[in-house]
Each structure stands twice: as structure tokens, then as C-alpha cells.
Amino acid sequence: MSTVLYIGGLGRSGSTLLDRMLGRLEDVWSVGELVHLWERGLRQNHRCGCGERFADCAFWGKVGQVAFGGWDTLDVAEVLALKASVDRNRYVPLMVLPSLSPAYRARMERYLALLERLYAAVGEVSGKPLVVDASKHASAAFLVRRLRGADLRLVHLVRDSRGVAFSWTKRMRRAEVVEGDALMATNTPLHMSARYLGYNLLFHLLRRLGVPTLRLRYESLVRDPVPELTRVLGHAGRAPAAGELGFVGDGWVELAPSHALAGNPMRFRSGRVPLRVDEEWRGQLRRRHRLVTSVSTWPLLLAYGYLRGGGRDR
Ligand SMILES: [Zn+2]
């Protein structure tokens, strides 16, 4: 089985960008957010990064064939129900200590058997030794850790919590023009701060459990892409060859199409795109929201070097 470089972190932290940069490398295969394959690929038939609908994408068609003898051999509703009963942050303690619940353990083993076939098929069909999975979710990373034969390397991607909070309020504003967006209430800075703490602490726990973990700041990745990508590749056990990172320049990156699933709309952009740290929050985040976010997430802001005088970059 290939090495799985898993990008973990909260949404709006630059995971799609990192995923697409890594996908430019010759021996790397980017699958996007694999955790959403069952729902958005199999059930909803969303578009793959290549532009085709999931069911029409040749790559994913082959993966389904190799893994399961065709996607149609799976009962999608059953797989989704199984996933919902296994892959949740609240079950992380049982993923770590499955002996606490034999019933959970049995469900987890069934789901892991599916994932094992899926990841192995991605490795086989792509023919690449390094698979990048930008699923982001903490619980899914705990499951990948349990895959037999998978060599999991975690990139814990972090961003200033105030930038994350602002990004989620922006989405709320956009949502006003879309009828019936039920997520609006869940994107307040206070709610996002709680998620920021919860998610990031789960990634700290993974490191404690011995998963090789590299912490990467979104802001550093965008400001210094070449050294940061070199660091990420080193974490995955290889060094970039001379000129291999030539797709990144001063303030731009050249992206190419991929077969990445889910992720933000940037997934469909190709060619040269500007590389610029999004720090709109510094001028736009309301004072009250900034205060709430800073106060509730300060231990992590400090640990990640986001507070004045913190300065720790790595
Ligand atoms: Zn595709």
C-alpha cells in the first residue's frame, strides 16, 4: 500500500491549495477529500476535479472496479449508514480503545475493510507511491491510522483562528442569497472557536499516539511555498528533485487538473493562479468577534505562533 499523506485541519485553512500543489508532483496522487466519496461521489454523483461526473470519471471507475468489482456492487445507503455509525469525532475514544465497545469495534472493522480496499485500489490504479488525502476531518484520520499496511503521515494544517472565523462568517453572508441555508447558525465565531479547539486538539492527540505529524501554517505555506513544500515532502520521506517545484513562483502557482473529490471550488481552477495570504479578517472581522475568537482560542494561537511575541513558526 502507498504512503498516505493526510491533510488534517479545520475547513478554510488552505487544504485544497496544499492538496493541489502536491498533486503537481510526478509520483504523487491527490484524491482530494476521500472521506466524501460515498456521499458526494457515489450517491450524489458530483463532479470530479477532472470535470467529469463521478460516475463518468475513468479513474474513479477503475478504482471501483479494482476495489469492489464495480461501485454497483455496493449498497450505498448501507455504506453511508455504516460510515455514520463509525466515522464521527465523538467516537474517537472508541477508535483509540475499541475494546471498550465490542459493538463499535465490529462496525469499525467492517468499515475499515471497505476503506482498506479503497485506499489499496487508489494506490494500484494511480501507480503512485504517495497518495495525498485532503479529507481534513480528525475522525477520518484516526481511521486511516488503523488501516492495515497504510503508512500514515499527517500534515496538521493550521491557520490563525481569526482568519478561520472570518472566513466562516463570510460564507454566512453569501448564504443569504441562497434560500434555506441551514448552516447559518453554526458558523458564528464562537461556534467556530469551539470547533477550532476541538479539531486541533484531536490532531495533537494523533501525534501523541505516535502518528508522524508535521504542523504547517497556512500563512507560511502561501508566503514561502518552496521551503514549506520541501518540508512536507521530507515528512513523506522524499526530497524534491531539482526544478521539481518550478510550478511555484513569487506570488503564483501553476495548477493542473486532477481527480480530486470534494474540496472548495478552487479545485476546478487550472493554470497560473495568484498566491496571496488571505488576511482580510485583519480589517474586516468585527471587534466583538475578534475578541471572542482570540480569547477562546488563545492557547492554540500562542502554540502556533499567532500571538505577538509568539513568533514560533514550526
Ligand atoms: Zn476524474
Side-chain angles (χ1 to χ4, degrees):
M1 192 180 273
S2 320
T3 298
V4 177
L5 189 74
Y6 189 98
I7 304 174
L10 207 51
R12 318 291 165 85
S13 299
S15 62
T16 305
L17 175 67
L18 174 60
D19 178 42
R20 298 215 52 199
M21 285 173 157
L22 292 169
R24 286 295 318 261
L25 298 164
E26 202 45 53
D27 58 353
V28 174
W29 192 266
S30 142
V31 288
E33 303 183 10
L34 200 60
V35 70
H36 296 302
L37 178 140
W38 316 115
E39 174 67 34
R40 299 187 200 168
L42 275 187
R43 172 125 95 182
Q44 299 178 6
N45 200 20
H46 281 188
R47 277 199 300 154
C48 171
C50 68
E52 297 284 350
R53 302 290 291 257
F54 179 81
D56 301 322
C57 168
F59 171 73
W60 287 111
K62 267 187 229 153
V63 168
Q65 203 61 44
V66 168
F68 307 108
W71 295 116
D72 52 5
T73 63
L74 294 176
D75 180 334
V76 182
E78 202 180 295
V79 174
L80 284 171
L82 179 62
K83 175 178 184 286
S85 72
V86 172
D87 185 3
R88 287 170 182 263
N89 281 347
R90 75 176 80 137
Y91 295 136
V92 161
L94 296 179
M95 293 175 193
V96 177
L97 293 168
S99 56
L100 292 176
S101 163
Y104 178 82
R105 177 180 219 149
R107 296 200 302 273
M108 183 178 78
E109 291 296 342
R110 275 173 53 216
Y111 188 56
L112 288 177
L114 290 175
L115 290 185
E116 263 164 22
R117 289 160 79 171
L118 177 62
Y119 281 84
V122 166
E124 189 181 324
V125 176
S126 70
K128 309 287 185 182
L130 180 58
V131 171
V132 177
D133 179 352
S135 290
K136 295 183 301 214
H137 295 188
S139 58
F142 278 85
L143 291 171
V144 174
R145 168 179 172 261
R146 290 220 156 254
L147 294 182
R148 278 172 286 266
D151 177 15
L152 170 62
R153 311 290 170 97
L154 175 68
V155 175
H156 178 196
L157 189 61
V158 298
R159 181 183 178 186
D160 191 308
S161 57
R162 293 155 298 186
V164 173
F166 179 66
S167 191
W168 285 89
T169 59
K170 266 206 306 195
R171 184 185 168 197
M172 201 157 66
R173 242 185 278 140
R174 269 194 230 125
E176 284 168 12
V177 292
V178 182
E179 228 177 309
D181 189 330
L183 294 173
M184 279 178 69
T186 67
N187 294 328
T188 64
L190 187 60
H191 183 90
M192 286 317 298
S193 297
R195 282 182 68 184
Y196 190 88
L197 289 173
Y199 264 59
N200 284 309
L201 290 175
L202 285 174
F203 290 113
H204 293 214
L205 174 60
L206 270 175
R207 168 179 254 168
R208 281 288 192 88
L209 290 169
V211 174
T213 302
L214 175 87
R215 189 189 299 150
L216 173 64
R217 305 201 311 178
Y218 151 78
E219 296 84 353
S220 310
L221 172 68
V222 175
R223 269 191 204 108
D224 301 306
V226 171
E228 291 297 53
L229 286 173
T230 303
R231 215 159 61 87
V232 170
L233 286 172
H235 183 58
R238 74 192 275 293
E244 202 184 5
L245 298 179
F247 60 88
V248 193
D250 190 13
W252 55 265
V253 59
E254 297 263 7
L255 299 176
S258 75
H259 292 285
L261 296 175
N264 78 26
M266 187 225 176
R267 197 158 54 100
F268 296 109
R269 286 180 73 181
S270 280
R272 187 171 285 209
V273 300
L275 211 48
R276 184 179 60 79
V277 181
D278 177 357
E279 289 195 303
E280 208 187 339
W281 67 269
R282 289 188 185 275
Q284 303 272 321
L285 185 62
R286 283 189 211 161
R287 248 184 103 222
R288 188 164 49 92
H289 288 165
R290 186 176 176 139
L291 189 67
V292 161
T293 309
S294 302
V295 167
S296 52
T297 62
W298 76 265
L300 292 184
L301 285 175
L302 187 67
Y304 302 158
Y306 286 121
L307 294 182
R308 211 157 29 132
R312 234 179 67 201
D313 204 21
R314 308 270 134 101

